[in-house]
Amino acid sequence: MGTITLKTRDGSVHEIEAREGVPIMELIRDAGIDELAAMCGGCLSCATCHVYIDHLPEGAELPGLGRDEDDLLDGSDWRRPESRLSCQIPFSSSLSRIALTIAPED
Amino acid sequence: MERFDCVIVGAGHGGAQAAQALRQNGFEGSVAMIGDETELPYDRPSLSKDYLAGKKPFERLRLRPEAFWAERGIALRLGRRVVSVDPAARALGCDDGSTIEYRHLIWATGGVPRRLTCAGHDHPAVQYLRSRADSDRMIAALPGIRRVVIVGGGYIGLEAAAVLRELGKAVTLVEAQERVLARVAAEPVSRFCEAEHRAQGVQVLLGTGVEEIAGAEGGGCTVRLSDGRDCPADLVVVGIGILPEIGPLAEAGARARDGIEVDAFCRTSLPDVWCIGDCAILRDGPGIRIESVQNANDQAATVAKAICGRPEPYAATPWFWSNQYDLKLQTVGLNLGHDATVLRGDPAGRTFSLVYLREGVVIAADCINAAKDFVQARKLIEAGCHVPADLLKDPERPLRELLEVV
């Protein structure tokens, strides 16, 4: 268990309850945030769950950026160095208090 | 009798997205969504992939949490089927005898599996794959199943074949055309997929159809093929396409062919009646229905904007995906009417793309384990530019660079 701090496109900030092992895309979706289309359901076939990692808790590490994820993010006009696909980051307690922003819609 | 400012018929990807897009666009009227399944909206593509494979529980397939719909003021009327539409009275008749009135109607019912009609088509071993109930029925039967015959070499058939092979079943796939994916892809992609399935141990039988499903002693059945072959099976999975669920709307007078005809804003020929997703066909479009999550989602957004007074014509580039074994197939664009194809990369290396052109313009690409091409081909398609084939075929040259040279 833990929490995620999420900034949505309207600038509002949400504290989301997080569950171990669940991809962050699903945590955002299950919190009732409707801004993530997540059209492919998390199978790494699109880039509609794009987020920016604003802050990583001390000592925490994200899983590495995969080749497909890198390529899919390249299709976004809004890619930044801190871009990730949230379906590719399973939550773990070390990530508690990670801060994210939902990227603009492509 | 109930009355809503917007009634959405269908609680699949299109319906769910329409409901939420109405709210996102500031629609303040009452909204109801009617679905014939009893489930809250869920991710349908997973039914033939991770869910069937037991890799994802159903709870993770829900498109939105249960509380979401009430929080957004979206009334759910599930387990109910609309059987009639009265466009003059703006009223829907449901199979439970209830009537629901609408100001706007969004028809988002999708389709139902096309059924076998041969002798024995109603044998209990014959199953389809479209709803959670279908998938659950199959999953429940799997422990007692050794031999599976799959009828149809389209995406559903191939995805089911992959999952069932990975679960250790003996799988035979029967396709009436001379190649798999014949309706959606060109030959190199078909042959590649066929070879992958054969390498995984699937027996692929092409150019033959099902004559009869005969009962067999001791359970199971025999699938009798038109070439005279008999295939014993404990389970027959039929994936031969869908039929759009348009009956009540077509009977009400909405202009229809193989789907409900809509204009660029997804308006039907009936007043304040809209149609989206698998069951809609763009009047001035490619002439086919587009069966995909992307199309359902993007048309839902088109309708919501139009109803909220900010109409924007539907202009999304189609895209689609399929997962089979460790293969990721991604398609962008529509290859209808292509007059040339260019192969990028070597199928033997299991990473390649097939680019489709019409009069020298890139119109679509099938990308196998090649997400980079999938992403970059979209830009070429949207640019609508001429690209010389010799530049396209070099897999070392990123497609994005071709935007600059042409």
Side-chain angles (χ1 to χ4, degrees):
Chain A
M1 297 292 271
T3 59
I4 288 171
T5 305
L6 178 76
K7 193 192 279 185
T8 46
R9 292 180 185 134
D10 60 6
S12 61
V13 176
H14 309 255
E15 288 284 317
I16 291 175
E17 202 172 284
R19 307 186 301 281
E20 190 78 19
V22 179
I24 285 178
M25 178 277 280
E26 293 183 29
L27 295 171
I28 296 172
R29 186 190 66 186
D30 293 350
I33 308 288
D34 61 10
E35 288 184 355
L36 278 191
M39 271 199 243
C40 79
C43 73
L44 197 49
S45 292
C46 68
T48 58
C49 67
H50 182 181
V51 297
Y52 302 129
I53 311 292
D54 298 326
H55 168 76
L56 203 54
E58 213 174 300
E61 250 182 80
L62 294 176
L65 183 72
R67 194 196 64 180
D68 283 354
E69 185 184 354
D70 191 14
D71 291 340
L72 288 169
L73 280 167
D74 255 345
S76 170
D77 294 334
W78 304 100
R79 183 168 193 176
R80 301 205 307 230
E82 61 273 29
S83 287
R84 292 297 302 259
L85 295 181
S86 55
C87 71
Q88 295 303 300
I89 307 175
F91 183 80
S92 65
S93 52
S94 68
L95 292 179
S96 193
R97 309 212 66 76
I98 186 173
L100 314 167
T101 296
I102 296 182
E105 197 175 359
D106 275 291
Chain B
M1 166 133 43
E2 293 187 291
R3 187 193 174 282
F4 297 92
D5 296 309
C6 186
V7 176
I8 300 163
V9 182
H13 285 269
Q17 185 62 30
Q20 118 183 11
L22 281 169
R23 293 300 183 220
Q24 285 168 333
N25 282 280
F27 187 78
E28 289 177 351
S30 55
V31 176
M33 182 160 57
I34 307 174
D36 60 347
E37 293 177 67
T38 51
E39 302 296 343
L40 296 167
Y42 62 89
D43 181 56
R44 203 173 295 279
S46 292
L47 294 179
S48 54
K49 307 182 186 77
D50 282 358
Y51 183 64
L52 183 61
K55 291 178 185 168
K56 243 187 198 181
F58 188 74
E59 294 64 49
R60 289 184 57 194
L61 266 46
R62 290 228 170 88
L63 294 179
R64 299 292 160 200
E66 189 167 358
F68 177 87
W69 306 104
E71 283 166 8
R72 296 296 192 283
I74 295 157
L76 300 178
R77 299 289 177 267
L78 301 176
R80 208 184 286 194
R81 174 181 290 272
V82 171
V83 293
S84 65
V85 179
D86 181 343
R90 294 177 185 254
L92 306 173
C94 302
D95 61 351
D96 62 353
S98 62
T99 302
I100 299 179
E101 291 185 344
Y102 63 84
R103 164 76 180 81
H104 290 279
L105 171 63
I106 303 176
W107 193 264
T109 48
V112 290
R114 184 188 298 276
R115 306 247 152 195
L116 286 181
T117 54
C118 63
H121 63 88
D122 51 357
H123 192 287
V126 176
Q127 296 194 24
Y128 296 82
L129 202 43
R130 179 73 180 174
S131 65
R132 180 196 183 176
D134 293 338
S135 217
D136 281 350
R137 198 174 306 121
M138 205 172 288
I139 290 166
L142 283 179
I145 280 166
R146 195 168 58 81
R147 303 157 305 175
V148 181
V149 169
I150 293 179
V151 182
Y155 283 117
I156 291 291
L158 293 175
E159 288 172 3
V163 168
L164 293 168
R165 267 311 291 149
E166 286 180 331
L167 293 173
K169 311 301 178 189
V171 176
T172 300
L173 186 139
V174 180
E175 165 57 52
Q177 304 287 314
E178 292 298 333
R179 57 188 178 88
V180 298
L181 297 177
R183 189 170 65 94
V184 292
E187 180 131 11
V189 174
S190 297
R191 295 300 171 208
F192 171 79
C193 287
E194 176 191 337
E196 285 286 323
H197 281 271
R198 287 190 195 280
Q200 296 281 351
V202 176
Q203 186 182 17
V204 180
L205 305 177
L206 300 171
T208 186
V210 176
E211 284 282 307
E212 183 188 358
I213 314 278
E217 298 287 323
C221 65
T222 299
V223 180
R224 192 148 293 152
L225 303 181
S226 51
D227 64 4
R229 217 182 310 218
D230 277 350
C231 300
D234 308 307
L235 168 68
V236 180
V237 181
V238 181
I240 52 174
I242 63 163
L243 299 172
E245 282 220 80
I246 59 174
L249 200 51
E251 284 159 23
R255 198 173 298 133
R257 21 183 169 153
D258 174 41
I260 298 292
E261 263 189 31
V262 294
D263 68 8
F265 303 96
C266 297
R267 253 191 304 249
T268 72
S269 61
L270 298 176
D272 296 320
V273 179
W274 314 75
C275 181
I276 59 172
D278 287 10
C279 59
I281 187 162
L282 282 172
R283 192 182 60 208
D284 304 313
I288 56 164
R289 292 180 296 99
I290 307 292
E291 300 167 3
S292 73
V293 170
Q294 168 275 321
N295 183 62
N297 266 46
D298 289 339
Q299 290 194 334
T302 296
V303 165
K305 284 179 193 150
I307 289 177
C308 293
R310 287 188 298 282
E312 282 174 36
Y314 181 67
T317 303
W319 58 268
F320 183 84
W321 78 93
S322 175
N323 301 325
Q324 298 162 33
Y325 311 107
D326 60 343
L327 295 175
K328 290 181 82 74
L329 290 84
Q330 291 166 293
T331 290
V332 57
L334 279 185
N335 66 19
L336 285 175
H338 71 269
D339 52 28
T341 58
V342 175
L343 190 60
R344 276 172 65 79
D346 181 6
R350 305 179 82 244
T351 296
F352 71 99
S353 299
L354 190 69
V355 181
Y356 298 84
L357 300 103
R358 185 171 55 216
E359 293 170 5
V361 175
V362 175
I363 57 169
D366 293 330
C367 309
I368 286 88
N369 292 334
K372 189 185 288 274
D373 278 2
F374 169 70
V375 157
Q376 298 186 8
R378 169 197 289 264
K379 311 260 177 197
L380 277 183
I381 292 163
E382 289 173 353
C385 50
H386 288 257
V387 185
D390 59 323
L391 295 182
L392 274 176
K393 76 178 183 211
D394 176 6
E396 301 305 317
R397 182 191 280 265
L399 291 174
R400 144 183 26 233
E401 280 181 17
L402 303 184
L403 269 176
E404 290 147 23
V405 301
V406 292

